[in-house]
């Protein structure tokens, strides 16, 4: 019963977000702005409501459900509509992407514009990505590195882990 309540609240929040996005898209279409607008939808983390036998928290475990998050990009003129990409990308890539799309310059930072892989799925791209988590309610400290289909989790409070995500996604 407790999980049913938690999950129903999560679905309710998702429904609210879905409706708000629908309202935004309807406005853009009604005002003839949709086709000329680039839209990026992302989440800051995934959901852990009951994963792996009942875990409930965000970030303190290096599971793909928490770190492999949605990223949807609708390009102006709807270029590449419906295509997917498998490259390792980061939320740090969003700002450089928006700057490039808008024709603005941006000082070099940790992120890279996603435009090259949006234009060409075979474009040269990073094969390694890192993430860090320093805890919020729990004492946790993780550093995670993805390289191709492998993931290494350096865990200060527990054992380190090395996973082949392709062969063992859980």
């Amino acid at each position: 019963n407790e999980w049913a309540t938690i999950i129903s609240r999560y679905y309710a929040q998702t429904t609210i977000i879905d409706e708000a996005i629908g309202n935004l898209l309807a406005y853009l279409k009604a005002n003839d702005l949709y086709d000329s607008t680039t839209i990026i939808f992302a989440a800051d983390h995934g959901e852990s409501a009951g994963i792996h036998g009942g875990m409930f928290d965000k970030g303190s475990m290096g599971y793909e459900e928490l770190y492999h998050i949605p990223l949807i990009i609708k390009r102006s003129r709807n270029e590449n509509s419906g295509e997917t990409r498998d490259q390792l990308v980061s939320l740090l890539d969003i700002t450089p992407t928006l700057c490039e799309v808008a024709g603005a310059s941006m000082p070099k930072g940790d992120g890279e514009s996603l435009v090259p892989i949006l234009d060409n799925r075979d474009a040269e791209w990073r094969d390694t990505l890192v993430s860090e988590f320093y805890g919020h309610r729990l004492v946790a400290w993780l550093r995670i590195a993805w390289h191709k289909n492998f993931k290494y989790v350096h865990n200060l409070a527990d054992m380190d882990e090395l996973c082949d995500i392709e062969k063992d996604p859980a």
Side-chain angles (χ1 to χ4, degrees):
N1 287 339
E2 184 178 352
W3 278 114
T5 300
I6 290 167
I7 291 171
S8 69
R9 289 179 183 157
Y10 176 77
Y11 288 160
Q13 289 288 1
T14 302
T15 301
I16 290 168
I17 292 168
D18 186 56
E19 183 178 353
I21 292 169
N23 291 338
L24 173 63
L25 296 178
Y27 174 85
L28 292 171
K29 289 175 181 177
N31 291 280
D32 201 27
L33 298 168
Y34 182 79
D35 288 336
S36 63
T37 302
T38 295
I39 301 169
I40 297 179
F41 175 84
D44 62 336
H45 60 80
E47 183 51 62
S48 61
I51 64 170
H52 300 274
M55 295 182 171
F56 184 76
D57 195 18
K58 60 181 181 184
S60 60
M61 294 103 22
Y63 292 125
E64 290 300 283
E65 292 93 337
L66 300 171
Y67 288 90
H68 192 155
I69 60 173
L71 175 60
I72 302 168
I73 300 176
K74 197 263 336 151
R75 300 183 75 184
S76 62
R77 300 175 311 283
N78 300 316
E79 297 169 352
N80 310 92
S81 180
E83 293 187 7
T84 61
R85 301 290 186 267
D86 295 323
Q87 286 90 344
L88 293 170
V89 302
S90 167
L91 293 176
L92 295 172
D93 299 327
I94 292 175
T95 301
T97 302
L98 289 171
C99 286
E100 183 169 344
V101 167
S105 62
M106 181 176 160
K108 180 73 175 136
D110 292 327
E112 298 289 334
S113 171
L114 298 170
V115 170
I117 62 173
L118 293 173
D119 287 342
N120 175 7
R121 72 174 54 251
D122 297 321
E124 287 289 318
W125 193 252
R126 68 172 73 101
D127 62 3
T128 302
L129 187 67
V130 296
S131 183
E132 299 173 311
F133 179 78
Y134 294 103
H136 52 96
R137 288 177 296 223
L138 304 173
V139 176
W141 183 86
L142 300 176
R143 287 192 176 153
I144 305 170
W146 292 264
H147 178 73
K148 300 182 181 177
N149 61 304
F150 291 97
K151 176 176 62 177
Y152 175 71
V153 181
H154 178 60
N155 187 343
L156 183 66
D158 201 350
M159 295 187 317
D160 291 356
E161 303 170 45
L162 177 63
C163 310
D164 182 333
I165 300 168
E166 193 172 286
K167 292 180 182 172
D168 183 10

